[in-house]
Amino acid sequence: MKRIAVFGKPGSGKSRLSKNLAAVTGIQLHALDAAVYKRNGDRVDRPTYDREHDKILSSESWIIDGFGPIDSFYKRLNTADTLIYIDLPYIASYWLVTKRLLKGLVIEPEGWPDGSSILKGTLASYKTLKLCPKFWNGDFMKKLEAISTGKSLYVIRSISELNEFVEKNAEFQARSQ
């Protein structure tokens, strides 16, 4: 496991899980939001993003946390050898986005682009969550299962699974030893 894609709805714990995986495995973490957004919260131009994304994908090992433009998302899934889909219930995702906002008033959230507005980001997350059922659905799961042939696929469906994922998956721990 050298190329790990971590993805799911906004506020699902991708950043925390990815940070823990990077700490255990020693694999470099790339928070995709840092490649997608400038410090002021505006999006970078697409050619700049594509160059950065392709540079990461061509490296020997990586953990990428996030979604990004749809075509780059599928390119990442095809390149990865390990797919981690965090598919929490919507109520949990809404709660985690709200919790991130409240904590973000005091401490910058993990994986949050430097200098970007927590309020603006939270509103964007709520808007995205509202649209998520159109993408994160049974059809996506079928595509994911097809893409995952010959890869390791993990689907995390509860906060307790999320909290226990790294310690319960010995292959990630074995990599660090």
Side-chain angles (χ1 to χ4, degrees), residues 132-150:
C132 280
K134 293 179 181 177
F135 182 80
W136 304 109
N137 56 33
D139 289 340
F140 171 74
M141 198 62 212
K142 287 177 188 171
K143 286 181 191 174
L144 183 59
E145 287 169 355
I147 290 169
S148 70
T149 302

Side-chain angles (χ1 to χ4, degrees), residues 6-23 29-34 63-67 84 86 88 96 100 108-113 162 166:
V6 180
F7 52 95
K9 299 183 285 284
S12 61
K14 298 179 298 291
S15 295
R16 194 174 104 223
L17 176 74
S18 297
K19 184 178 174 182
N20 291 342
L21 280 176
L29 170 60
H30 301 274
L32 201 57
D33 283 348
I63 297 171
I64 300 178
D65 150 26
F67 191 79
I84 303 173
I86 304 175
L88 299 181
L96 291 172
R100 180 177 64 198
E108 186 173 295
E110 287 184 51
W112 202 257
L162 179 65
V166 175

